Amino acid sequence: LRYEDNTVDLEVWVKDVWTLKATGAVKRSGGENSVRFELQDSNLFGTGKSVALERSSDVDRSSVIAKYLDRNVGGSRVRLDFTYSDNSDGDLVNLAASRPFFALDTRWAAGGFVRDDDRIDSLYRLGKVVERFRHRQERLDLGGGLSRGLVGRRARRWTFGLGYARDRFAAEPGLEAPAALPEDVTRVYPWVGFETVEDAFALTRDQDQLSRTEDVLLGTHYRGRLGFASTALGSDRDQLVFDFRADAGFEPAPGQRLRLRAGGLGRLDRGGPENLALTGEGRFYWRDFGRHLFFAQLETGFVRDLDGREQLLLGGDSGLRGYPLRYQDGEARLLVTLEQRFFTGFYPFRLFWVGAAVFFDAGRVWTDERSLSPGLGWLKDVGVGLRLSSSRSGFGTVVHFDVAFPLDGDRSIRSVQYLVTTKETL
């Protein structure tokens, strides 16, 4: 409000929110149900620590999960994240500790993570499990980074480190295993990376959330890293290991925003690429009726020789809302979403905001000799949905209630799909 004699007077308005969340949810997507019960506090005893205990059951497994997150260990910039999951088909342990680039002007970062995941993997054909096998996944990554901080409108960062990845596969007694199990893979590789982020952000509301302030990128953000897996360090073979991601945001006209993303990862040697996964996404937002919003999304993906015969899937759980989950698989996919979002301003009991949507989805996959499902060409659906977001919760999640009607597909799918999901966005 005032600046005088090196003194600033500030007026601060705050709204208290609930940091303790006790929820029980039944989720339905792609014709399958999942159940979850969770007790979580994102500000334990006012310390800023987050703890959670969860019991869940879905089409893949039943789990009891414990989580702990400390974003400022001992009042420092060190972040500690721990997850343990006791699953019906194995267990998961994930531990990460880091001092990240917490601001554009941060000069250094360091950290790493270790992950051990023992589970049953399933392969799908037209939404049905046809093969299952055990998969043991081990990951370790240690690294750091240096930066000159924010120079002009851009921060540039060089990163470096050492990565370890091991995947082992085995037949599971009592389950129908594939004729040939995936090949075990071990990679140990030093890596170097580069990141650049532009200081170009904007505040908005009612774009991807309901009545909450959103921080959106209106510039560019690129990052990638390149490593060399060597037999001298214990790898199966000598290979280049790479991954990258690019983000860009624009405002082509007043009331319009465009968000573009692209990414990829894989390995490369003289035999060509393997475990290759490329993705691309474009999102367009247009304020077409006052505060209401027209949303269009184009999403694409391409894969080749994925480890563990992992599938590129398309179905009710991946954006094609009128169809069973994991309904199609192939080497490439394309998904188009058109959605008119309505922000009603309705605020029942001053507890949650209400929104609505009318949508159209269209997608298809292109199959190859590794695909388990027959290609069915373009699949389309239409539907309507209700959106709820609690103004009192500190978590910002949005509950989706959707009714979708498939316009294509085979006769085995239902003519109406009911979906209840909880997401971070609209």
Side-chain angles (χ1 to χ4, degrees), residues 258-261 280-284 295-300:
L258 179 63
R259 182 74 181 270
L260 301 177
R261 293 179 178 175
E281 180 184 278
R283 293 187 171 194
F284 176 69
F295 170 74
Q297 176 178 273
L298 176 66
E299 179 189 345
T300 185

Side-chain angles (χ1 to χ4, degrees), residues 204-362:
T204 189
R205 293 174 70 87
D206 291 337
Q207 177 173 297
D208 283 317
Q209 293 190 325
L210 278 174
S211 296
R212 286 179 179 267
T213 300
E214 305 172 47
D215 197 18
V216 298
L217 175 69
L218 291 180
T220 56
H221 184 189
Y222 309 111
R223 56 192 179 275
R225 70 182 196 178
L226 180 66
F228 181 70
S230 171
T231 54
L233 296 176
S235 300
D236 294 329
R237 67 188 78 172
D238 294 336
Q239 288 181 311
L240 291 175
V241 182
F242 64 89
D243 65 75
F244 68 90
R245 181 169 176 175
D247 295 81
F250 310 94
E251 287 188 334
Q256 299 180 6
R257 286 201 174 102
L258 179 63
R259 182 74 181 270
L260 301 177
R261 293 179 178 175
L265 58 85
R267 302 189 299 271
L268 182 65
D269 58 23
R270 293 181 179 179
E274 65 178 37
N275 197 46
L276 178 66
L278 304 176
T279 60
E281 180 184 278
R283 293 187 171 194
F284 176 69
Y285 305 86
W286 177 28
R287 297 287 176 187
D288 54 349
F289 301 111
R291 64 179 297 194
H292 305 303
L293 187 76
F294 173 75
F295 170 74
Q297 176 178 273
L298 176 66
E299 179 189 345
T300 185
F302 173 80
V303 299
R304 175 174 291 178
D305 293 334
L306 293 181
D307 293 341
R309 295 181 61 193
E310 187 177 348
Q311 295 173 293
L312 180 66
L313 297 164
L314 181 63
D317 57 334
S318 53
L320 200 59
R321 287 169 276 194
Y323 295 85
L325 84 170
R326 304 165 195 180
Y327 185 60
Q328 291 271 271
D329 74 289
E331 68 170 354
R333 80 176 182 188
L334 185 66
L335 176 66
V336 178
T337 299
L338 304 178
E339 190 168 284
Q340 179 64 51
R341 296 174 176 175
F342 300 97
F343 304 96
T344 66
F346 187 40
Y347 192 22
F349 310 108
R350 302 188 64 83
L351 290 178
F352 53 88
W353 295 100
V354 179
V358 179
F359 59 83
F360 168 80
D361 305 318

Side-chain angles (χ1 to χ4, degrees), residues 87-230:
N87 305 321
S88 58
D89 60 345
D91 52 54
L92 164 70
V93 178
N94 190 89
L95 175 63
S98 66
R99 182 191 187 272
F101 287 109
F102 54 84
L104 291 175
D105 205 42
T106 303
R107 304 306 174 95
W108 65 274
F113 73 89
V114 59
R115 178 184 179 92
D116 189 344
D117 188 5
D118 185 17
R119 65 179 188 265
I120 298 294
D121 281 354
S122 302
L123 301 181
Y124 285 80
R125 181 181 186 274
L126 295 177
K128 305 297 182 181
V129 176
V130 292
E131 297 175 1
R132 305 185 75 188
F133 50 87
R134 183 159 292 280
H135 181 187
R136 179 72 178 270
Q137 185 182 78
E138 300 171 0
R139 298 288 187 269
L140 173 66
D141 197 274
L142 300 173
L146 297 173
S147 172
R148 294 175 58 196
L150 185 63
V151 179
R153 290 177 54 85
R154 188 170 292 276
R156 297 173 177 86
R157 301 157 178 168
W158 286 98
T159 55
F160 47 86
L162 179 69
Y164 167 82
R166 186 183 186 190
D167 292 88
R168 290 175 290 169
F169 306 93
E172 183 71 7
L175 299 181
E176 184 177 352
L181 284 168
E183 182 180 356
D184 293 349
V185 180
T186 301
R187 302 174 301 282
V188 183
Y189 53 97
W191 57 265
V192 61
F194 180 73
E195 178 182 16
T196 174
V197 55
E198 184 179 0
D199 184 12
F201 296 87
L203 297 180
T204 189
R205 293 174 70 87
D206 291 337
Q207 177 173 297
D208 283 317
Q209 293 190 325
L210 278 174
S211 296
R212 286 179 179 267
T213 300
E214 305 172 47
D215 197 18
V216 298
L217 175 69
L218 291 180
T220 56
H221 184 189
Y222 309 111
R223 56 192 179 275
R225 70 182 196 178
L226 180 66
F228 181 70
S230 171

